[in-house]
Amino acid sequence: MAKGSGMIHPNMATMIGVITTDCAISSGSLNKALRHAVNRSFNRISVDGDTSVCDMVVILANGRAGNTLITENDDHEYNRFTKALEMICIDLAKEIAADGEGATKLIEINVTGAPSDQDANKITRSICNSPLVKTAFFGEDANWGRILTAAGYSGAVFDPDKCSINIGSIPVFSSGIAVDFDEDHVKSILNMDEIKVNIDLSQGNGSDTMWTCDFSYDYIKINGSYRT
Amino acid sequence: MAKGSGMIHPNMATMIGVITTDCAISSGSLNKALRHAVNRSFNRISVDGDTSVCDMVVILANGRAGNTLITENDDHEYNRFTKALEMICIDLAKEIAADGEGATKLIEINVTGAPSDQDANKITRSICNSPLVKTAFFGEDANWGRILTAAGYSGAVFDPDKCSINIGSIPVFSSGIAVDFDEDHVKSILNMDEIKVNIDLSQGNGSDTMWTCDFSYDYIKINGSYRT
């Protein structure tokens, strides 16, 4: 279970998450697995770039499944558990982002080919927090220029001439050159509840994924007119 | 002259500024004076936290005033010139922020008492970029909690228990304690075109000033529905 969904920005922010499992797992391993999963999920969503001072995710394991106790020494079982936990956390995190104040759609930003994972994360963060990117998605416009610009000012090592951007399955920008894409086709993708943006930097093997939502009139209403 | 006014975020962003003077001043000194002034003005405004790739400020001096050439060696005249230039740049920068897309008011954020100027600037930046702070000003609500939170997550050395916040002349938060202020009085200040927020950290001598605007329905409209 998880609850959002304003003031959402890594790390976590105004949210509470409770995960329960019947699995038997040592508390040290459970702690480590949760930290890994949170980093890939709740720390990878942004609604408004505002971090709250209040956040929490807990996991409770009661061991009722009766399995052999999982510890980090058992790589196979520990990795299976961690993978499953990561899946669940990503699922909950995406729901929080999709449920962001005033949001009409969930946007997934994938960066691949970065010089490092850190560079990739700088770019996903920058794009996910850009009001201009978020308003363009609200307006259902394939504005790759705003995406490219947010990547450019992110502080990451970034070469626009090597960069390619796909919105859904449609290339809109390819190795530094604007693609003459079918606007109606892209519009039909931008009209959906969930949109994936893939940005390939062709600069290395670093990657990152973050989720955000669009920026709508209702965000302003909820956060500007809450007392009237 | 200066032109904005979206994608405004240090450094400068989508803006162009041209300043002319009849003053006789060496080009090295003019360059240095402009850099100083820009740093206190055009690099201290934020409309949406989006930095553009296109920006420019130039200054042209034709020497027609016939004064003795000002150089950095003449501290007194150089300082007078720099001070005047800074005033002009701040004036233009404030106009850009006030004219931000969809803006209904200009907000000046002053931080004093910071451990360092760098800490003060982290806090002014964080507050000026917070959509929650900006929507609260649009809604004319004296939401010091959002201001305090943005200061807290700025990364600056910050002790909320020592912090005091004034909106205009009215204390709303004093040394870590909420002030029971007159809501109507604050409302009359928040209703104005220009609002000053003073934040005293009581932690040192660092200070910084930045200007931003509120976040309104029209910002979303201008940036989300620009093609319809």
Side-chain angles (χ1 to χ4, degrees):
Chain A
M1 295 163 281
K3 178 257 156 215
S5 188
M7 295 195 84
I8 297 292
H9 182 66
N11 298 306
M12 297 202 284
T14 321
M15 60 156 288
I16 182 167
V18 181
I19 303 154
T20 57
T21 173
D22 284 349
C23 190
I25 178 166
S26 76
S27 78
S29 300
L30 190 61
N31 191 323
K32 189 177 166 189
L34 183 63
R35 284 178 193 280
H36 168 88
V38 163
N39 201 36
R40 299 270 174 170
S41 55
F42 300 115
N43 283 348
R44 285 288 186 281
I45 52 175
S46 180
V47 166
D48 50 15
D50 268 290
T51 304
S52 166
V53 288
C54 331
D55 58 8
M56 185 185 87
V57 170
V58 291
I59 184 163
L60 306 167
N62 63 12
R64 285 192 63 179
N67 60 297
T68 311
L69 187 79
I70 297 174
T71 68
E72 291 163 61
N73 299 330
D74 180 352
D75 279 352
H76 179 66
E77 286 302 305
Y78 173 75
N79 288 343
R80 273 183 70 199
F81 179 85
T82 304
K83 200 82 199 159
L85 184 60
E86 183 181 324
M87 269 179 61
I88 287 164
C89 288
I90 286 178
D91 223 55
L92 290 169
K94 285 170 70 176
E95 282 193 75
I96 289 177
D99 195 37
E101 289 172 334
T104 73
K105 43 191 110 253
L106 176 72
I107 303 154
E108 179 176 309
I109 306 290
N110 294 302
V111 168
T112 54
S116 69
D117 289 349
Q118 287 71 31
D119 283 304
N121 181 241
K122 279 183 191 168
I123 293 176
T124 56
R125 255 167 217 248
S126 182
I127 295 169
C128 283
N129 285 325
S130 161
L132 288 180
V133 169
K134 288 155 69 69
T135 48
F137 277 107
F138 177 61
E140 301 184 352
D141 183 39
N143 194 321
W144 54 260
R146 293 184 181 182
I147 295 170
L148 196 68
T149 304
Y153 67 65
S154 68
V157 175
F158 175 69
D159 180 355
D161 289 336
K162 290 185 177 164
C163 178
S164 296
I165 301 173
N166 280 27
I167 294 179
S169 57
I170 304 174
V172 294
F173 187 76
S174 178
S175 301
I177 295 164
V179 175
D180 187 18
F181 55 83
D182 178 347
E183 290 237 11
D184 288 340
H185 192 179
V186 175
K187 198 96 187 164
S188 70
I189 288 172
L190 290 172
N191 194 28
M192 293 195 288
D193 293 340
E194 195 171 333
I195 301 159
K196 285 190 189 189
V197 179
N198 295 307
I199 300 147
D200 183 18
L201 305 186
S202 297
Q203 289 179 283
N205 296 311
S207 66
D208 198 66
T209 298
M210 273 189 71
W211 294 270
T212 187
C213 55
D214 58 340
F215 229 164
S216 73
Y217 296 116
D218 276 352
Y219 179 84
I220 304 289
K221 189 174 178 187
I222 292 165
N223 288 298
S225 311
Y226 50 94
R227 293 189 64 180
T228 53
Chain B
M1 294 163 280
K3 179 256 156 215
S5 184
M7 294 195 85
I8 297 292
H9 182 66
N11 296 306
M12 295 202 285
T14 322
M15 60 155 288
I16 183 168
V18 180
I19 303 154
T20 58
T21 173
D22 284 348
C23 190
I25 178 166
S26 76
S27 78
S29 300
L30 190 60
N31 192 323
K32 189 176 166 191
L34 183 62
R35 285 178 193 280
H36 168 87
V38 163
N39 201 37
R40 298 273 175 167
S41 56
F42 300 115
N43 283 349
R44 286 288 187 281
I45 53 175
S46 179
V47 165
D48 50 15
D50 269 289
T51 303
S52 167
V53 289
C54 334
D55 57 9
M56 186 184 86
V57 170
V58 292
I59 184 163
L60 306 166
N62 63 10
R64 285 191 63 180
N67 57 298
T68 311
L69 187 77
I70 297 174
T71 68
E72 293 162 61
N73 299 330
D74 181 351
D75 279 352
H76 179 68
E77 286 303 305
Y78 174 75
N79 289 342
R80 271 184 71 199
F81 179 84
T82 305
K83 199 80 201 160
L85 184 59
E86 183 182 323
M87 267 179 61
I88 287 164
C89 289
I90 287 178
D91 222 53
L92 290 168
K94 284 170 71 174
E95 281 193 76
I96 289 178
D99 196 37
E101 290 172 332
T104 73
K105 45 191 108 251
L106 175 72
I107 303 154
E108 179 176 307
I109 305 290
N110 294 302
V111 167
T112 53
S116 70
D117 288 350
Q118 288 72 30
D119 283 303
N121 182 242
K122 279 184 191 168
I123 292 176
T124 55
R125 257 168 216 247
S126 183
I127 294 170
C128 282
N129 286 324
S130 162
L132 287 181
V133 168
K134 287 155 69 71
T135 48
F137 277 107
F138 176 61
E140 302 185 351
D141 183 38
N143 195 323
W144 53 261
R146 293 184 181 180
I147 296 170
L148 196 68
T149 304
Y153 67 65
S154 68
V157 176
F158 175 68
D159 180 354
D161 289 336
K162 289 185 179 166
C163 177
S164 297
I165 302 172
N166 280 26
I167 294 178
S169 57
I170 304 174
V172 293
F173 187 76
S174 178
S175 302
I177 295 164
V179 176
D180 186 20
F181 54 83
D182 177 347
E183 290 239 8
D184 288 342
H185 191 180
V186 175
K187 199 96 187 165
S188 71
I189 289 173
L190 291 171
N191 194 28
M192 295 195 287
D193 293 342
E194 194 172 333
I195 301 159
K196 285 191 189 188
V197 178
N198 295 307
I199 300 148
D200 182 17
L201 306 186
S202 297
Q203 292 179 280
N205 296 313
S207 66
D208 197 67
T209 298
M210 273 189 71
W211 295 270
T212 188
C213 55
D214 58 342
F215 227 164
S216 72
Y217 295 115
D218 276 354
Y219 179 85
I220 304 289
K221 189 174 178 184
I222 292 164
N223 288 296
S225 312
Y226 50 93
R227 294 187 64 179
T228 52

